[in-house]
Amino acid sequence: MKLSDLKNNGHWPTLLAAFLYFDFSFMVWAVLGPLAPQIGETLKLSPEQKGLMVALPILAGAVLRVLIGLLVDRVGAKNAGMIAQLVVIMGLALAWIFGLPNYPATLLMGLVLGFAGASFAVALPQAGRWYPSNIQGVVMGLAGAGNIGVVLNSLLAPRLAEAFGWKNVFGFALVPAFLVLIFYAAVSKADSGEAKRRKISDYLALLKEPDAHWFCFYYTISFGGFVGLASSYVLYFKGEFGIPPVQGGDFAALCTFVGAFFRPIGGATADHIGGIRSLYRFYLLAGMALIAAL
């Protein structure tokens, strides 16, 4: 693939808008992770409660991704993306104004942030449908590189919480939220070649394909592991090594940056040698790295 292929095909403003939407969504999706030590101390939460508070946005995002995906197929990716962004903005605003006064409030916030985690079902098809199949890997890799938002979140959230209080972090997040929403609404285009509306039975038929289950399994291990670790790094570093939240956020940012950086590279590799071969090679490298870390 050449860079000219991206320039001469598709619609790069939509690709950029999808990247920014994905970037912001990932930033707020995992925001409770870096803030967990401060929130837990304020609310006197147990380790189990803090763990569930951090995990709930991930679980909610996994479920909502299916529902938002159905919405994308019915009203279009752009409309679905704007709806999800408005839900997240409303949740951030309420958390900023009223705070999270108790443990149930943190869980409710986690459910709302799940809408940010559902951005996968919006950004990737919106960007991908504008480009031909021979560069789908790199296009989705570029859009998916928006998970660098987790890196920004790990770097900024603990510092802002230390300087201004963790409640105000939600207020600061509203600034990029509105900027991204305005840019997304103004620049991105409705899907090119929008898929026609499907019946529920069409989706259920997909579950009969063995490959669908295998890819779900691989995705659970790879991306599930990435997000789970990215959300829990600060808590882990503090609990295991006594590292303060700010320094823990720096280490977390370094760890998650690697995953974000290699997304476009992984996509380009899939375009070049095929997705299955790429998957085998990346899993082999990951396995060797895990063995070396023992």
Side-chain angles (χ1 to χ4, degrees), residues 150-206:
V150 179
V151 179
L152 299 175
N153 180 42
S154 299
L155 287 173
L156 297 178
R159 286 178 166 83
L160 292 173
E162 188 175 81
F164 303 100
W166 59 262
K167 186 178 78 168
N168 288 317
V169 174
F170 301 120
F172 285 118
L174 288 171
V175 176
F178 279 111
L179 291 177
V180 170
L181 177 61
I182 292 171
F183 184 85
Y184 183 85
V187 171
S188 68
K189 285 189 175 182
D191 303 355
S192 174
E194 184 88 51
K196 58 184 179 180
R197 185 172 299 183
R198 302 286 185 179
K199 299 177 181 179
I200 297 298
S201 58
D202 295 329
Y203 298 105
L204 295 177
L206 179 63

Side-chain angles (χ1 to χ4, degrees), residues 85-97:
Q85 289 181 72
L86 289 172
V87 171
V88 173
I89 287 173
M90 185 180 302
L92 291 172
L94 291 174
W96 177 44
I97 295 171

Side-chain angles (χ1 to χ4, degrees), residues 13 17 24 29 56 65 80 85 100 133 136 141-142 149 160 216 261-262:
F24 165 75
W29 186 27
L56 191 58
R65 200 171 296 171
Q85 289 181 72
L100 301 175
S133 59
Q136 282 286 304
L142 288 170
L160 292 173
C216 284
F261 177 78
F262 276 100

Side-chain angles (χ1 to χ4, degrees), residues 266-282:
T269 303
D271 287 334
H272 182 64
I273 65 173
I276 299 297
R277 290 181 178 178
S278 299
L279 196 64
Y280 288 153
R281 295 185 183 188
F282 288 129

Side-chain angles (χ1 to χ4, degrees), residues 115-277:
F115 281 89
S119 58
F120 252 110
V122 178
L124 296 190
Q126 184 178 18
R129 286 172 183 171
W130 280 96
Y131 291 86
S133 59
N134 64 307
I135 56 173
Q136 282 286 304
V138 72
V139 167
M140 293 194 177
L142 288 170
N147 62 16
I148 200 170
V150 179
V151 179
L152 299 175
N153 180 42
S154 299
L155 287 173
L156 297 178
R159 286 178 166 83
L160 292 173
E162 188 175 81
F164 303 100
W166 59 262
K167 186 178 78 168
N168 288 317
V169 174
F170 301 120
F172 285 118
L174 288 171
V175 176
F178 279 111
L179 291 177
V180 170
L181 177 61
I182 292 171
F183 184 85
Y184 183 85
V187 171
S188 68
K189 285 189 175 182
D191 303 355
S192 174
E194 184 88 51
K196 58 184 179 180
R197 185 172 299 183
R198 302 286 185 179
K199 299 177 181 179
I200 297 298
S201 58
D202 295 329
Y203 298 105
L204 295 177
L206 179 63
L207 298 178
K208 297 178 181 180
E209 295 289 337
D211 285 347
H213 296 277
W214 278 112
F215 284 128
C216 284
F217 170 74
Y218 291 137
Y219 193 68
T220 300
I221 300 300
S222 57
F223 184 72
F226 172 83
V227 176
L229 286 172
S231 301
S232 304
Y233 271 137
V234 178
L235 274 177
Y236 173 75
F237 289 138
K238 180 175 174 58
E240 293 296 320
F241 305 106
I243 299 176
V246 172
Q247 285 70 36
D250 293 341
F251 283 116
L254 178 63
C255 294
T256 54
F257 172 78
V258 177
F261 177 78
F262 276 100
R263 272 199 171 229
I265 297 174
T269 303
D271 287 334
H272 182 64
I273 65 173
I276 299 297
R277 290 181 178 178

